[in-house]
Amino acid sequence: CRVQAEWLVSKPSIFSLEECMMIGTAGFTAMQMVMELEEAGRLGVSKGPVLVTGAGGGVGSAAVAILAKLGYHVTASSGRAGELADYLKRLGATEVIGRLDANALKKPLQDQQWAAVVDCVGGPGLGAAIAQTKFRGAVACVGVAAGGSLDSTVYPFVLRGVRLLGVDSTLPWNVAGLATDPAEWEENRKYRLQVWQRLASDMPVEALREMHEATIPLEEVPSWSEKLLEGKVRGRVVVRVS
């Protein structure tokens, strides 16, 4: 299988090839979400807790580790909070809570709790997180595990100045149907390199090893997929294709 050379970037020397695959698209996306929140000016150690929803998954686990390394108070939210509490705290979470209460969506504005949110699940939990975000806070959104709908109102945006940031890790180079400007392709490549540079400095290798659930042969993918759908997998699973 051949790919365009421009699609590839050199791996950071701090990571082995296997560790790069532990990061994968999930870790790359988590780093992007943090960078988007930083760019929006919504992250600050003194501003309050950062909520990570779906914290037991690949994106969520990586986000917890990165934010903790950067010194933030990280509140990790998971539907398996009891089971994964020790794991998430080893990644750096300050506290671990269950899923946000979707029934609270009856109140479009709730108590202000989160300086910023990394949302990895979507659905009702995203709406609740938006309603609980502090004045001029921001929510970076990437997940659809709990659904593709957004149950919210405009009030958090117009009364508290909350920002909702979409994050896309495609960053295409000459891909049909997407950007056609070569200058934009080059900017995408530069940005991809910046994300990997940030991962090299802000993703602790020991956290990667903690997140690494297993390395499996290709033929075990179907059985592990079933475990994943049943909520029995946390962190990252690397597939050995050779």
Side-chain angles (χ1 to χ4, degrees):
C1 176
R2 291 186 177 183
V3 299
Q4 294 185 57
E6 294 85 357
W7 293 1
L8 306 177
V9 296
S10 299
K11 76 173 184 65
S13 59
I14 191 174
F15 299 129
S16 68
L17 287 173
E18 185 176 41
E19 287 164 346
C20 285
M21 295 313 300
M22 292 177 197
I23 294 170
T25 302
F28 186 91
T29 303
M31 189 72 253
Q32 272 189 276
M33 296 173 87
V34 173
M35 291 170 66
E36 291 290 336
L37 290 168
E38 290 174 339
E39 185 176 348
R42 280 7 192 208
L43 278 180
V45 174
S46 63
K47 292 183 179 179
V50 180
L51 173 70
V52 179
T53 66
V59 179
S61 293
V64 168
I66 292 167
L67 289 163
K69 171 71 182 298
L70 293 172
Y72 296 109
H73 177 120
V74 182
T75 299
S77 169
S78 171
R80 297 180 286 160
E83 175 189 348
L84 298 181
D86 290 343
Y87 161 72
L88 291 168
K89 287 182 177 180
R90 288 195 297 272
L91 292 180
T94 309
E95 57 185 340
V96 180
I97 63 174
R99 292 190 180 100
L100 299 189
D101 182 8
N103 292 325
L105 285 172
K106 295 175 182 177
K107 293 178 61 179
L109 292 174
Q110 301 170 33
D111 291 343
Q112 300 181 48
Q113 299 187 53
W114 321 116
V117 178
V118 171
D119 178 72
C120 306
V121 296
L126 173 57
I130 292 171
Q132 295 172 6
T133 300
K134 290 185 175 185
F135 178 71
R136 294 211 146 190
V139 179
C141 171
V142 75
V144 293
S149 62
L150 174 58
D151 191 352
S152 183
T153 70
V154 300
Y155 295 115
F157 308 114
V158 301
L159 296 180
R160 289 182 178 168
V162 172
R163 293 186 183 182
L164 180 59
L165 308 172
V167 177
D168 165 37
S169 64
T170 307
L171 297 173
W173 180 290
N174 192 21
V175 176
L178 296 174
T180 57
D181 182 1
E184 187 171 343
W185 304 345
E186 187 59 40
E187 287 303 310
N188 287 342
R189 178 175 170 78
K190 288 178 181 177
Y191 182 61
R192 186 175 291 278
L193 287 166
Q194 290 171 9
V195 175
W196 276 106
Q197 289 166 1
R198 284 293 303 273
L199 282 163
S201 63
D202 298 335
M203 170 62 83
V205 174
E206 57 271 21
L208 271 182
R209 293 173 183 150
E210 181 66 44
M211 290 163 53
H212 182 212
E213 175 108 334
T215 295
I216 63 172
L218 188 61
E219 56 267 24
E220 290 186 15
V221 167
S223 61
W224 275 86
S225 297
E226 292 178 7
K227 293 179 185 179
L228 181 66
L229 292 172
E230 293 168 359
K232 296 179 180 178
V233 179
R234 56 128 175 104
R236 304 292 286 150
V237 175
V238 177
V239 179
R240 187 174 59 249
V241 295
S242 59

